[in-house]
Amino acid sequence: QVQLQESGPGLVKPSQTLSLTCTVSGGSISSGGYYWSWIRQHPGKGLEWIGYIYYSGSTYYNPSLKSRVTISVDTSKNQFSLKLSSVTAADTAVYYCARVVGSAIHWFDPWGQGTLVTVSS
Amino acid sequence: SYELTQPLSVSVALGQTARITCGGNNIGSKNVHWYQQKPGQAPVLVIYRDSNRPSGIPERFSGSNSGNTATLTISRAQAGDEADYYCQVWDSSTEVFGGGTKLTVL
C-alpha cells in the first residue's frame, strides 16, 4: 500500500524559507489519478490545508497561503516538495503530506506521519 | 470563507453510541469526510463522501449528512476510539477542515 514520509529541517529561522520533501513508496506519483497534498497542524490546534499538486505539475493552493507557497514534484524520485517563504513563528506546526483521493471531490488518504517544524531564531 | 463548526468535546460511555456533529451552511449539499487522530499520530480517514467507510474501518463507524449538519456516529464505543475527530469539505477552491472534536470514552 502507498506510504508517505516527510523529511526536512526541524528548525527554520524567521524570514527564511521552510522546505520539506515527501517521499512516496508503494505507488508511483507519475502513474496519475491522484493529487498529492500538504496539510499542517499548529500545536494543539486543528488542520489547515496548504495545497496540492498533480504529477503534471498542476497546483492548487490555499488562498490564505498562496503568496508564500510553492509545491513542486519530482517524478524521477517519486517525491513532491513544499516551500513556504518568509516564515514567522505562526508557521510553527506539524506538516503532513497526504495523497488526495477522488476527482471532483477530494479526501486525504493516506497521510505521512508528519514532521514538526519550529520557526525560531 | 466557508466555516465548519464542531463541538470541542463529546463524551460517551463505553459500549454506547457517540455522535459527533459538523455544522455548516447547507452542508447537506456537500460531500463530507471524517478523520480520526489519536495523540501523536497522523489523521486517519474513517468516512468519505458522507457515509462511506474505507477498508479496514469498523462498521461501527457511520456517517450521515443533511441540511446544515453532518454527523459521524460511532456505535458500541470502545476505549480505542478515544481521539480527535475532524470533518472536511471542499468549498470555493479550498479544502476546509472543522476545528475538531475530542471524543472521550468513559
Side-chain angles (χ1 to χ4, degrees), chain A residues 37 39 41 44-49 52 60-63 96 100-101 104-114, chain B residues 31 33 35 37 40-45 47-49 54 84 86 88-90 92-100:
Chain A
S37 186
I39 299 158
Q41 185 171 33
K45 302 296 184 183
L47 301 164
E48 180 180 29
W49 173 66
Y52 40 62
Y60 291 87
Y61 297 138
N62 187 326
Y96 295 99
V100 184
V101 185
I105 298 157
H106 305 135
W107 56 95
F108 303 100
D109 181 49
W111 298 53
Q113 67 183 29
Chain B
N31 285 265
H33 322 296
Y35 303 88
Q37 185 179 33
Q41 298 184 18
V44 172
L45 179 74
I47 293 288
Y48 65 96
R49 289 171 61 186
D84 294 328
Y86 295 90
Q88 175 237 325
V89 301
W90 165 262
S92 301
S93 303
T94 302
E95 303 288 357
V96 180
F97 289 94

Side-chain angles (χ1 to χ4, degrees), chain B residues 21-40:
Chain B
T21 59
C22 177
N25 184 32
N26 197 26
I27 196 173
S29 67
K30 303 181 184 299
N31 285 265
V32 181
H33 322 296
W34 291 91
Y35 303 88
Q36 175 194 68
Q37 185 179 33
K38 296 182 179 179

Side-chain angles (χ1 to χ4, degrees), chain B residues 58-76:
Chain B
E59 291 183 6
R60 302 184 297 104
F61 287 81
S62 62
S64 62
N65 185 18
S66 178
N68 291 318
T69 305
T71 303
L72 172 68
T73 301
I74 306 171
S75 305
R76 302 182 298 283

